[in-house]
Amino acid sequence: MRLSGKVALLILVWAMLFSLVGRLNFVQIDWESFFPQRSHAAIEKSWFAPTVQYLFVELPNAEVLEALKSRGVVRSFYPVVTGHTTLFLILFERRLQQEVLRSVRDFPHAGTVMASTMLLENFYGALRSYLGIVVPLLLAFSFLVFPLRYWISVLLELSIYLLFNMGVLFLFRIPVSPISMLAWLFLFIYALTLLNYMHLGEMNRGKLALGIGVSIVTTLISAIYLNFSDFGLIHEFGESLTLGLLLLGLFLVVRMFGIRHTQFVSVWVERVRKKLEGFRVHRLLSLFYIGVLGLLPFFGNALTIDLNPFNIFGNDSRVREGIASFEKEHVPALPFVVSLRFDNVDADFYRFEDAKRLSKAIGEIEKNISAVPLVTLHTLYESFAGQPFSKATDASYAQFLLALEMLEEPLPIFTTDGKTAYLTYSLSLTTPSEKIRALVGKIRELNASFPNVTLRVMGKVADFEFMSKRFLNEAAVGFGMSFIFILAFFLFYCKTWRIVPAIVVSACFPLVMFIAFHMAFGMPFTLISMIALILYAGLYADSFIHIFICYAQEKGRCLSAVLRPIVISNLTMIAALAGMVFSGSILGGFGIEMTLLLFSNLIGVFVLLPALLIRWVRNCNV
């Protein structure tokens, strides 16, 4: 097809894309999707039931909340005594959260329910900036490196693939959330790298099809594993990625075998590789690799895991600034409950002597944890009597209990049998999960200090230890599955163990650099890190497969032909993903993680891998 015909067709496809965008079913991300769906901790059902959403809101009076409660929008609400007499804690069903947020949008408010709304707004804002500023700049620069005919051909093919995807989403009414859009954005970039092999490589159709097929299968294994993740956010990403990869495979089959593709030539890549080869850069990299491994234990920060969803946003993002402003003026907005139960059947918190024992326990807890008390025996009594509980008497305590019964709907502090007390505290919404784990662990240690007393932490914060273990397990298994598949494929293909060092060293180089970067700059591992790590296994296979298949059949004669599209594809992905870094959202976090991995991967496949293949795989029985 002539260039003018391709341009006309490209304009037509874009017009169809714009008409479809407004018809897609866009949805928000649920707060619960950031956590494992199967909870490990036995979370007791109280006012802080895990199925109930909450929100702190500052209102001039309770009239707005009374109206919402009468309509069944709000389940209950409680005044919070913090020096702000107009601050309320409201509880409601998850399905009603949008109506609640609309009702209080003109008043200061904060809570975990805002995570999905903030993420949606922040993601769309970052995406608009990325598509409107970064992508045009990247295209303008790329026009200087590659001919216009190449980019028109590639943009047309990518646009047709995107139209194919959006058509499926529209026809089957598949929900589209920010995390699924992130998956589709990754697929768009990944499709570009595969198309580069067709347009810039010199492999025959059979080897090209085998390389692309194994690459998609390896990435699909990663996607399917993500699809079975216990974390709702990762499951949603994997689900979208799995669908997109299946559609990409179908699209590429038609593209490779149904339409003749045009070859474009770019010789600068091989010239650079030969220059580096002459300087024995692979040896320098090996020394650098060993040095990093040796120095990290002494100079690196401890590797941490942070699964708090609010910390996905950048430190300078509008989301975090808004949270910090509310919490500074009001209270930390991440509540949790500590239940304290007397095991002695004769004990009763309604008795003054037992209440004094409870007061002692509360004092010990508050000395050992960094949390703001919202509703405890101490805060309520001081609000009632105007003096601390330490000055309470049997008579004043009886009056306090009577006043407590007369309140219309108090936040519960005792069960009806008087044997369990609820202590409600609050942390900042941006508290790292490692600190939350330490706090929960400290409360469990305190449990041993009180005979005949059982302390339990309720709510999502109680599950962070289990979440961290689950996170590490899923990351290790997901990466391991893809890596084992790659290893098994090449052992079968080459039929010699000598391929193992080449695979292990070149695959682990980016992984070590990834961990080193996190330790050097104190960056925690997040859910986005796990997605990036598991995706990397598939992307590494993409580069390794094409180099290996070519080398196994023709030894070093074809390295120049196959390295050209690999380097250009990796550079394209790095440039596209690096453009996300400064967005200050989940898009920026994904960009940082993937850019680091792909840059390290480029060094590995461009410099280390050819040297390793020549050294270790001289005789490969294909």
Side-chain angles (χ1 to χ4, degrees):
M1 182 184 294
R2 292 184 178 180
L3 185 62
S4 57
K6 289 184 178 181
V7 171
L9 183 57
L10 181 62
I11 294 172
L12 176 61
V13 172
W14 281 359
M16 296 172 69
L17 285 172
F18 282 117
S19 67
L20 271 177
V21 167
R23 303 183 183 184
L24 295 180
N25 180 25
F26 291 100
V27 297
Q28 292 188 344
I29 294 177
D30 193 342
W31 160 259
E32 293 293 317
S33 68
F34 291 97
F35 301 92
Q37 302 307 297
R38 293 186 291 275
S39 173
H40 177 70
I43 301 176
E44 298 178 19
K45 288 188 177 180
S46 65
W47 71 267
F48 196 63
T51 56
V52 176
Q53 297 282 59
Y54 78 91
L55 191 68
F56 288 99
V57 58
E58 181 187 1
L59 294 168
N61 51 59
E63 291 181 3
V64 173
L65 299 180
E66 290 285 2
L68 290 174
K69 186 176 179 182
S70 65
R71 289 163 42 202
V73 176
V74 168
R75 176 186 287 190
S76 54
F77 62 89
Y78 310 101
V80 179
V81 182
T82 61
H84 293 264
T85 56
T86 58
L87 189 65
F88 295 89
L89 175 64
I90 60 178
L91 307 179
F92 50 90
E93 298 292 336
R94 183 178 295 112
R95 59 186 175 83
L96 299 171
Q97 70 179 41
Q98 292 307 310
E99 187 170 356
V100 171
L101 288 172
R102 281 196 300 270
S103 301
V104 301
R105 64 175 177 266
D106 296 328
F107 304 98
H109 59 277
T112 55
V113 67
M114 296 172 64
S116 57
T117 302
M118 287 179 167
L119 181 59
L120 192 69
E121 293 175 356
N122 196 267
F123 179 83
Y124 286 155
L127 187 62
R128 282 193 295 269
S129 299
Y130 179 73
L131 296 178
I133 300 173
V134 177
V135 171
L137 288 175
L138 289 174
L139 288 175
F141 176 76
S142 64
F143 286 146
L144 301 176
V145 181
F146 300 104
L148 178 63
R149 189 176 183 83
Y150 163 79
W151 277 114
I152 295 297
S153 298
V154 169
L155 283 176
L156 177 59
E157 291 167 3
L158 287 174
S159 300
I160 292 172
Y161 168 62
L162 185 59
L163 181 63
F164 183 30
N165 289 334
M166 290 179 63
V168 171
L169 295 176
F170 172 71
L171 288 174
F172 294 96
R173 302 302 298 165
I174 298 173
V176 180
S177 71
I179 197 66
S180 59
M181 289 179 66
L182 187 64
W184 290 109
L185 185 60
F186 169 80
L187 281 164
F188 191 76
I189 299 170
Y190 179 57
L192 174 59
T193 67
L194 297 182
L195 289 172
N196 278 337
Y197 291 120
M198 291 192 293
H199 291 296
L200 299 173
E202 297 175 13
M203 298 173 67
N204 63 55
R205 183 174 294 183
K207 287 190 294 183
L208 180 65
L210 177 61
I212 290 178
V214 176
S215 172
I216 290 179
V217 168
T218 309
T219 312
L220 188 61
I221 290 173
S222 301
I224 291 173
Y225 180 76
L226 292 173
N227 191 39
F228 286 99
S229 172
D230 201 25
F231 291 87
L233 192 77
I234 297 176
H235 162 76
E236 190 172 343
F237 185 94
E239 196 173 48
S240 298
L241 192 62
T242 301
L243 174 61
L245 285 169
L246 292 173
L247 295 176
L248 179 59
L250 181 60
F251 171 79
L252 289 175
V253 167
V254 175
R255 178 65 188 84
M256 276 192 295
F257 297 100
I259 305 172
R260 185 174 63 86
H261 57 268
T262 306
Q263 291 293 128
F264 297 92
V265 179
S266 180
V267 298
W268 58 270
V269 173
E270 178 58 15
R271 289 176 181 171
V272 173
R273 191 191 75 81
K274 286 185 175 179
K275 288 282 186 182
L276 292 175
E277 191 178 68
F279 288 111
R280 304 290 184 183
V281 176
H282 62 279
R283 293 183 180 179
L284 296 176
L285 279 174
S286 299
L287 291 174
F288 175 71
Y289 185 29
I290 295 169
V292 168
L293 285 174
L295 293 175
L296 270 182
F298 302 100
F299 297 101
N301 299 292
L303 192 62
T304 60
I305 298 172
D306 190 0
L307 302 181
N308 187 332
F310 284 94
N311 292 337
I312 292 176
F313 306 106
N315 290 328
D316 57 347
S317 71
R318 186 174 58 85
V319 176
R320 288 176 66 102
E321 289 174 359
I323 292 170
S325 175
F326 179 91
E327 292 186 335
K328 182 178 180 181
E329 186 174 347
H330 299 89
V331 295
L334 179 61
F336 67 96
V337 177
V338 177
S339 70
L340 192 155
R341 183 172 181 83
F342 276 12
D343 299 325
N344 186 339
V345 293
D346 296 327
D348 186 345
F349 290 137
Y350 289 108
R351 293 202 297 256
F352 183 56
E353 290 301 316
D354 290 332
K356 287 194 291 184
R357 289 173 57 197
L358 171 63
S359 175
K360 182 180 177 182
I362 293 173
E364 194 67 25
I365 290 170
E366 293 179 358
K367 275 197 310 184
N368 286 274
I369 65 172
S370 300
V372 175
L374 290 182
V375 180
T376 67
L377 174 63
H378 285 178
T379 60
L380 283 182
Y381 183 84
E382 188 170 345
S383 174
F384 163 76
Q387 60 183 4
F389 186 83
S390 58
K391 296 183 178 180
T393 63
D394 202 340
S396 65
Y397 185 64
Q399 292 177 345
F400 164 71
L401 293 177
L402 183 61
L404 204 61
E405 289 180 4
M406 295 176 65
L407 290 177
E408 182 179 350
E409 194 173 12
L411 198 64
I413 59 169
F414 300 142
T415 53
T416 54
D417 62 5
K419 290 182 173 53
T420 301
Y422 293 125
L423 317 174
T424 304
Y425 297 97
S426 196
L427 298 167
S428 171
L429 279 172
T430 57
T431 304
S433 61
E434 288 291 321
K435 289 187 177 181
I436 295 175
R437 285 178 59 198
L439 180 145
V440 173
K442 191 65 178 178
I443 292 174
R444 288 172 180 164
E445 290 176 11
L446 288 172
N447 194 47
S449 305
F450 308 112
N452 302 319
V453 173
T454 300
L455 293 175
R456 298 186 65 185
V457 181
M458 300 189 296
K460 284 294 183 186
V461 296
D463 249 7
F464 271 97
E465 184 174 0
F466 167 71
M467 286 167 58
S468 297
K469 292 178 180 177
R470 188 83 180 179
F471 171 84
L472 289 173
N473 178 66
E474 289 195 3
V477 173
F479 182 82
M481 282 176 59
S482 297
F483 186 77
I484 289 171
F485 173 80
I486 296 168
L487 194 62
F489 173 82
F490 290 115
L491 282 172
F492 174 79
Y493 195 83
C494 195
K495 299 179 179 64
T496 175
W497 66 270
R498 297 177 69 88
I499 189 65
V500 175
I503 294 176
V504 172
V505 173
S506 55
C508 290
F509 177 78
L511 186 60
V512 170
M513 293 299 104
F514 185 66
I515 295 172
F517 187 85
H518 279 77
M519 294 179 69
F521 293 95
M523 288 176 57
F525 265 42
T526 66
L527 292 178
I528 301 302
S529 305
M530 185 167 85
I531 291 173
L533 190 62
I534 296 174
L535 284 178
Y536 157 70
L539 293 174
Y540 163 76
D542 176 58
S543 302
F544 191 99
I545 285 165
H546 287 87
I547 292 177
F548 177 78
I549 291 175
C550 174
Y551 182 82
Q553 293 183 350
E554 301 180 30
K555 300 300 181 283
R557 293 190 300 274
C558 71
L559 281 178
S560 61
V562 76
L563 275 173
R564 181 166 57 246
I566 288 173
V567 171
I568 293 173
S569 295
N570 275 268
L571 287 176
T572 302
M573 290 191 76
I574 289 169
L577 291 164
M580 303 177 184
V581 168
F582 304 103
S583 64
S585 70
I586 191 172
L587 198 65
F590 185 72
I592 291 172
E593 307 281 10
M594 290 303 301
T595 299
L596 175 62
L597 281 168
L598 288 173
F599 183 74
S600 302
N601 179 58
L602 178 60
I603 296 174
V605 299
F606 190 54
V607 181
L608 280 179
L609 186 55
L612 290 168
L613 286 173
I614 293 170
R615 172 67 180 85
W616 288 96
V617 196
R618 294 175 183 174
N619 298 308
C620 184
N621 303 314
V622 181

